[in-house]
Amino acid sequence: MTENPAFPPPDEPEGTDERTAAVLPFPLKKDTTPAAAPGEGEAKPGEWEAELPDDADDPEDDGLTEGAPVDPPREAYPPSVSEWMEAKDKSRMPVLPDWVKLPDQRKAVRKWAVRHYSTVIGYHAVRLPCIYTPKVLFYSPRGAWRWSAAIGRWVFDAEGKSLRLASVANEDAAEYLKLSRQRNDRVRLRGIVATIAGFIGLAAALTLYVMAPLWLLLLSIAALTTTLGAVGAPADRPLIDMAKVTFRKRKLSSDIVIRAHDASGLTTKDQSIAFPRPIGRDGDGWRVVVDLPYGKTFEDAVKAHARLASGMDIAPTQLFLDKDETSGRRVSYWIADRDPLAVPSGKTPLLGATRVDFWKPFPWGVDERGNPVMATMLWLSLLVGAVPRQGKTFSARTIALAAALDPYVRLYVFDGKASPDWRKFTKVAHRIGFGIVPKNGFDPVVHLLTSLRELKADVEDRYHRLSELPLHICPEGKLTPEISRDKKLNMPLTLFVVDEVQEYLTHPEHGKEILALLVYLARVAPAVGVSVMTSTQKPDDKACPSELRDQHQARFALRVGAYQVSDVILGAGSYSEGLDASKLLKSHKGVGLLKGMSDDAGIVRTYLADGRDAERILTRAAALREAEGTLTGDAAGEAPAPEVSATILDDVAAVLGKGEAKVWSETIVDRLADLRPEVYGAWAELDAKPKAEALTAALKPFGVATDQIGRRIDGKTVNKRGIKRDDLAAAITQRNEKWAAG
């Protein structure tokens, strides 16, 4: 065993080079099997040899004497040098704060300094002639009187008058005579000093009046007047107004933090908190790291969040808790000077971007400290949830705008509430639809269903093609930027956006199939570059079932009504991690909790892009796509492939057997999946009832109804929904007549 000189054994004196015993590994488990015969084996590492009773004779004890006992080490050895050095590296504080090292924070500090001090200077400059000057002139006579009175009291020793009166009252003649002589000496000396100072001041004033230039004379008069005005101003009405409001508790001390923990019940008289590092400023707030008493955890601090904020005399929205992975009882607090979530994050940087590389993170917002938050949609799906009018749509739309600025990203956009928020995406979207109500012969729900089937077939095809591409093009069988931008391969990054998804999922005819297709895409499609982003204001199991929510790797929750709803959106257990979107206020629009997009979860104040901003960005995006030749689908006026709607009648007729007058719907769907798996495969994966409903919905526009069809199976009559051959033939005849007439 190699000894490490940097870490000597705990019991060994320093400077000793001799070793008296080898250190054996501490046993992990006990082997109760009989001891092996000599030469047949030894105890394996981590095992004990069988122990014999005290009175038993060991066959190997012959000729041996009992030596000095060797005790196992009482302490564990330190870690390896590399682990020790890594721990030391993590414990060192940075030499320079982040706002000095990081360009973005330096720029933010510089902007703040210019904005702050220019405002302060302008504030006082406006008030100088109309407010401050009249105040100085008004209070200067009072200041002159106070000044002269103070000089007179000093010259005539007014501060000793009370002592002399006390000696008279006590009839202490000796003390009085002593104090009188002391006063006479003081008055004589101070009178001489005051007389000399008066002559010097008068001479200086006459010299300035006679010899000094006008500007110097005026400056001297202004300085003297200002000084007298400041002396004469009342204590409760200062001359200078405050250009900014001083926040409460700007100076955070350890006493305040300890008081907060006492008030919240996290400490006791015997156990208080410890400070592993000093309290210091961190951006627009304070950073405090504390070690809670033994037995208290981060979860306890989360539960006491409101009481901690009250103990610090701040609003709960100013206190942010971060978990420390090194210790279960260590908590990091960030106490903001004011509510940072009520401060708008500003316009989106996409307004100044010519294009975006969707393979790289793009700006989505800022955190509570003002640091940029970058988003990415690669290899994941995103669920956005909130109550109405909290910025849910705008937050999701910012991601879609970033995707639009990459001309090689294919966009699908469907809005269940048919609001104006997504209308301008008609300029760039490959497929787009609004609402659930058919209009002018166009059914947006059917269009969504067709798009989902189209995309599902594309995803399945991508998996096969990526596995078959040569290694020099696709080294690991995964999508790459080069493959996604190759028009011949036709596998671009794709973003499928469904806003107010609950409107489609609760559709009486197509809701179940839409749910099944969305679950498939959210679960499988991200691995081949197809990301799904859904948003909803009803994340309950009825409107947005858990089987779909659970497929989203990333979650974003804006303000909700209760912590249970927050847990539904962010995932079970999020509340215990300190993530609770119900604590957000109504004024926190566009602010939410992000989880799953990166290793860290936290607050995001999303950037704003209103309707005009979105139109500007989408106009630029459409021009980019036209220049690159990537404008396709609905944006280019290309109708979707006939797919199911135009060929369903012929396909059903093709799978009907001779002599079959009535056939169950689920049987027909299974045959259709065998006939055209790329089109009907999704139906075949559904359960029996949804499978039949999918066929019913597809045939309904052509007037083919489904009826109960009974058959005897194993001596029992089984009724299921199905179609009649005569109804199908009539629908095909009617369709052909329309084609011939039109």
Side-chain angles (χ1 to χ4, degrees), residues 637-653:
E638 301 171 358
E643 210 246 349
V644 177
S645 59
T647 61
I648 184 68
L649 296 176
D650 298 324
D651 289 344
V652 172

Side-chain angles (χ1 to χ4, degrees), residues 254-331:
S254 58
D255 293 336
I256 296 175
V257 178
I258 293 173
R259 180 190 68 193
H261 285 80
D262 291 341
S264 61
L266 293 174
T267 58
T268 62
K269 293 181 179 180
D270 299 329
Q271 284 188 319
S272 185
I273 60 173
F275 295 88
R277 53 178 286 187
I279 298 174
R281 293 290 295 175
D282 182 6
D284 293 333
W286 297 88
R287 171 63 63 186
V288 182
V289 180
V290 302
D291 286 338
L292 298 173
Y294 292 102
K296 297 294 184 180
T297 64
F298 172 79
E299 288 72 19
D300 295 325
V302 170
K303 294 178 182 178
H305 179 273
R307 295 191 297 274
L308 282 169
S310 176
M312 297 180 188
D313 199 13
I314 58 175
T317 53
Q318 293 176 247
L319 176 61
F320 300 88
L321 284 69
D322 297 317
K323 193 172 185 179
D324 193 306
E325 299 299 335
T326 63
S327 174
R329 68 187 186 101
R330 180 165 293 180
V331 183

